[in-house]
Amino acid sequence: MLLPKDIIQDGHPTLRLISENVTVPLSRKDKDKGKEMLKYLEMSLDEKTSEKYQMTPGVGLAAPQIGISKRMFACFFFDGKEDYQFVIYNPVIKEKSKEMIYLKTGEGCLSVPGKSGHVLRHKKLVVEGYIYNNLDKSLDYKEITLTDYAAIVFQHEYDHLDGILFTDKITEDYEKYEAIA
Ligand SMILES: [Zn+2]
């Protein structure tokens, strides 16, 4: 089980590495690690477990944040329309909209505690990769389209795979773009 102590913080060199592709077919170890990352997010969003283990609520967790320099991350959230609970391995962003948006409340990160800021993100993405869907337990190589909140979370997590933190991208020049609640 992952615990808050397993999450590395800004300043740790692993957060700044370009992560390596995950080997395919996926190993048992990488599959299990993905599920552990999902479980961590689920527990962090549950009032009882987050209090018990003193977890900060999180909707995304990338492998580099637990010290593993591999191209995989987990997302766990409801965007108001749809539940997203998945791990993506070797994600590729195939298309991104020109239109930019930002998260109204500002972004935060489990690896940068206590900090938030506005970051411009693409409104719509077409991505592909090996996706483990926690809702139906399927694992397939597929293409998905993400918009608004889901696209923001995806881009934040994807950046971790390239050693980029949201704090690198904070801008004060966001108000002319669309705010996503
Ligand atoms: Zn982050």
Side-chain angles (χ1 to χ4, degrees):
M1 187 170 93
L2 291 170
L3 290 169
K5 66 169 174 56
D6 299 311
I7 297 182
I8 61 175
Q9 308 285 301
D10 188 12
H12 192 298
T14 300
L15 285 174
R16 293 307 191 171
L17 299 176
I18 309 275
S19 295
E20 302 283 340
N21 269 327
V22 178
T23 52
V24 288
L26 298 176
S27 67
R28 169 55 55 196
K29 201 175 156 191
D30 289 334
K31 287 183 196 169
D32 287 348
K33 194 52 76 178
K35 287 176 192 167
E36 260 186 86
M37 290 160 65
L38 274 174
K39 189 71 192 166
Y40 185 89
L41 295 174
E42 183 178 13
M43 287 171 68
S44 82
L45 295 166
D46 177 277
E47 213 177 311
K48 258 171 89 174
T49 46
S50 72
E51 200 180 297
K52 183 175 174 189
Y53 296 107
Q54 297 189 309
M55 293 166 150
T56 303
V59 295
L61 182 64
Q65 294 182 272
I66 52 168
I68 298 172
S69 196
K70 288 187 182 178
R71 302 188 80 80
M72 55 186 275
F73 61 78
C75 292
F76 198 108
F77 58 87
F78 177 68
D79 72 351
K81 284 178 269 177
E82 212 179 315
D83 263 315
Y84 291 83
Q85 294 182 21
F86 67 86
V87 184
I88 188 163
Y89 299 87
N90 299 344
V92 179
I93 297 178
K94 297 186 73 186
E95 289 172 40
K96 42 194 177 190
S97 65
K98 281 204 185 77
E99 198 178 347
M100 304 300 278
I101 56 175
Y102 67 95
L103 191 63
K104 198 172 185 179
T105 53
E107 294 185 23
C109 180
L110 295 174
S111 292
V112 193
K115 189 142 189 178
S116 74
H118 293 104
V119 178
L120 296 178
R121 302 290 188 187
H122 299 279
K123 181 178 171 68
K124 183 178 171 186
L125 301 177
V126 179
V127 306
E128 66 178 24
Y130 292 90
I131 298 174
Y132 170 71
N133 183 342
N134 192 45
L135 300 167
D136 63 12
K137 313 297 178 195
S138 61
L139 174 65
D140 297 298
Y141 193 86
K142 62 183 170 190
E143 184 180 282
I144 55 171
T145 299
L146 301 164
T147 53
D148 297 335
Y149 184 80
I152 291 172
V153 177
F154 192 97
Q155 287 165 88
H156 177 117
E157 298 312 320
Y158 186 91
D159 274 351
H160 278 298
L161 309 183
D162 289 331
I164 298 165
L165 297 176
F166 85 98
T167 45
D168 303 342
K169 294 186 165 179
I170 290 175
T171 177
E172 297 307 320
D173 184 29
Y174 56 85
E175 279 178 358
K176 64 182 174 203
Y177 300 96
E178 184 190 352
I180 300 297

